[in-house]
Amino acid sequence: MQVNTILETAANNGDAEDNLIDISIVIPLLDEEENIQPLVEALENALDNYDRTYEVIFVDDGSTDGTFTELKAAHEKNPHIKIIKFRKNFGQSASMKAGFDHAIGDIVISMDGDLQNDPADIPRLVEVLETEQCDVVCGWRADRKDPLSKTITSKFANLLRRSITSEFIHDSGCTLRAYRNECVKDLELYGEIHRYIPAMLLWKGYSIEEAKVKHHPRAHGVTKYNWKRVVKGFLDLIVISFWQKYSVRPIHVFGGAGLISSFAGVLLGGWLGIQRLFFGMSLSDRPLFLLAILLIMVGVQLIVSGILADIMLKIYYGGEGRKNYLVERLIE
């Protein structure tokens, strides 16, 4: 992924990397020209008098309107603002990943740039994060201001997600969340997988809480949510579910299914063989005989696929020093 970045601060603040930042706010943007100025004002109203140091990282995901121009103007006026500009549209998950990679705050806040999330909720999320001693706080838009069609689709998606991932939060579509910095540094985000970050972190052993947040109707611009994102999100959900359950030993799912298929094929073939040997029944016109052969072949292929997946997983974990565990604390 290629990006252009503006990571400057005012000269009297020095290098951003040398400053101690309490909160990093990551905001992906795509064609939100009219929302930039009111969003920056809302952020300033919520955070300038807050007793925490902060930075705001805007990620321009290949906007084709005046979004980047508005961001540069805001950057010149506010030393807390940083800008990451993509060369093209890579998607919201990639935008959030870029923002997380550049965030240096102890707490990382993600939120949308369409003014539907309220920056005034940020102190509340931080309070819950610290009071509950958890790793992640997910915003819950209990009173949504979206069109009915979008709300119904979202409720169905949430129900499907909870049934597949066993993750308990009410609103996976709410981008407004607070994370401890270490939670987001090893996330691999692509496609529409940002919706399932809580499920991914829960699988890794991080603790998650919820907090109700405000939600406003969209005042400017056009929603980027459409049926294509729904389909992509569902496919990513299947990947997440598989990765949660079988990422360490994929042979368990492939091999298990292969053994069942092969066993069924052997049983069916054995029964047909007994009929042929002892009762003289012909097998040439028996579709069940072809089914038995097919089940055995499919079973063998599934077992081989599981072995190959295990080999690829060993390469994945061993190639760049990745580990299949996370250490919370080490006492020596």
Side-chain angles (χ1 to χ4, degrees):
M1 180 190 306
Q2 294 179 312
V3 298
N4 293 333
T5 61
I6 297 179
L7 299 176
E8 303 170 354
T9 59
N12 57 356
N13 279 354
D15 191 339
E17 295 293 334
D18 296 331
N19 293 336
L20 297 177
I21 301 295
D22 295 323
I23 301 174
S24 295
I25 302 159
V26 175
I27 307 177
L29 297 168
L30 175 61
D31 296 336
E32 299 287 358
E33 175 184 4
E34 296 176 296
N35 290 321
I36 302 302
Q37 183 175 347
L39 177 57
V40 170
E41 292 175 356
L43 287 164
E44 292 172 344
N45 292 335
L47 299 173
D48 279 352
N49 295 322
Y50 189 40
D51 60 346
R52 306 292 178 95
T53 56
Y54 72 94
E55 62 176 359
V56 181
I57 303 176
F58 287 106
V59 184
D60 182 2
D61 185 21
S63 296
T64 56
D65 61 358
T67 295
F68 185 59
T69 300
E70 292 291 328
L71 287 176
K72 287 194 295 183
H75 167 74
E76 292 173 358
K77 297 177 182 178
N78 190 329
H80 298 291
I81 291 177
K82 301 179 179 180
I83 306 170
I84 300 174
K85 185 180 187 304
F86 285 178
R87 296 186 183 275
K88 52 170 280 187
N89 175 243
F90 287 99
Q92 188 171 354
S93 292
S95 300
M96 292 181 67
K97 174 61 175 172
F100 290 161
D101 287 345
H102 287 85
I104 61 175
D106 295 329
I107 296 173
V108 179
I109 306 289
S110 65
M111 63 181 294
D112 286 328
D114 54 11
L115 289 176
Q116 291 194 268
N117 293 148
D118 195 329
D121 286 319
I122 292 176
R124 167 64 177 158
L125 295 181
V126 174
E127 178 186 1
V128 174
L129 188 75
E130 295 177 340
T131 302
E132 299 295 332
Q133 292 293 301
C134 58
D135 300 305
V136 183
V137 178
C138 298
W140 174 12
R141 301 166 296 181
D143 182 21
R144 292 190 62 170
K145 304 298 182 182
D146 283 326
L148 182 61
S149 59
K150 186 175 179 181
T151 302
I152 293 175
T153 302
S154 181
K155 287 184 179 296
F156 175 75
N158 284 328
L159 179 63
L160 182 64
R161 185 204 72 252
R162 285 196 295 269
S163 64
I164 292 178
T165 66
S166 300
E167 174 236 293
F168 58 86
I169 69 168
H170 291 83
D171 189 2
S172 68
C174 182
T175 306
L176 184 55
R177 303 175 186 138
Y179 310 87
R180 297 194 185 276
N181 194 299
E182 62 268 21
C183 297
V184 299
K185 288 306 183 185
D186 63 343
L187 284 175
E188 297 182 17
L189 301 180
Y190 48 84
E192 297 294 321
I193 214 168
H194 61 276
R195 298 179 178 277
Y196 310 118
I197 290 177
M200 296 166 64
L201 294 178
L202 192 64
W203 166 63
K204 290 175 179 286
Y206 292 108
S207 56
I208 298 177
E209 296 291 342
E210 287 184 292
K212 290 184 178 181
V213 296
K214 294 184 286 292
H215 191 241
H216 304 292
R218 176 181 272 274
H220 307 288
V222 179
T223 181
K224 313 306 184 295
Y225 190 82
N226 54 44
W227 67 270
K228 293 181 180 179
R229 294 185 65 178
V230 174
V231 173
K232 293 177 182 177
F234 176 71
L235 295 175
D236 285 335
L237 177 59
I238 295 175
V239 173
I240 286 295
S241 177
F242 177 84
W243 192 251
Q244 282 183 320
K245 297 175 181 177
Y246 304 108
S247 62
V248 178
R249 294 307 305 274
I251 185 63
H252 290 173
V253 61
F254 288 109
L259 288 175
I260 292 173
S261 179
S262 297
F263 185 67
V266 169
L267 282 181
L268 183 57
W271 178 64
L272 293 174
I274 292 173
Q275 288 186 321
R276 176 70 179 89
L277 291 174
F278 296 99
F279 301 100
M281 296 184 66
S282 173
L283 299 181
S284 60
D285 57 348
R286 299 293 299 274
L288 287 179
F289 182 65
L290 295 178
L291 177 61
I293 295 175
L294 177 63
L295 287 173
I296 294 173
M297 292 178 61
V298 169
V300 171
Q301 289 179 339
L302 285 171
I303 294 172
V304 171
S305 296
I307 295 172
L308 293 176
D310 251 26
I311 294 173
M312 293 174 65
L313 200 65
K314 288 180 174 62
I315 296 173
Y316 171 81
Y317 280 119
E320 297 182 10
R322 296 184 180 93
K323 296 180 175 61
N324 60 349
Y325 62 86
L326 290 174
V327 176
E328 178 180 1
R329 186 180 303 172
L330 175 64
I331 300 176
E332 297 181 319

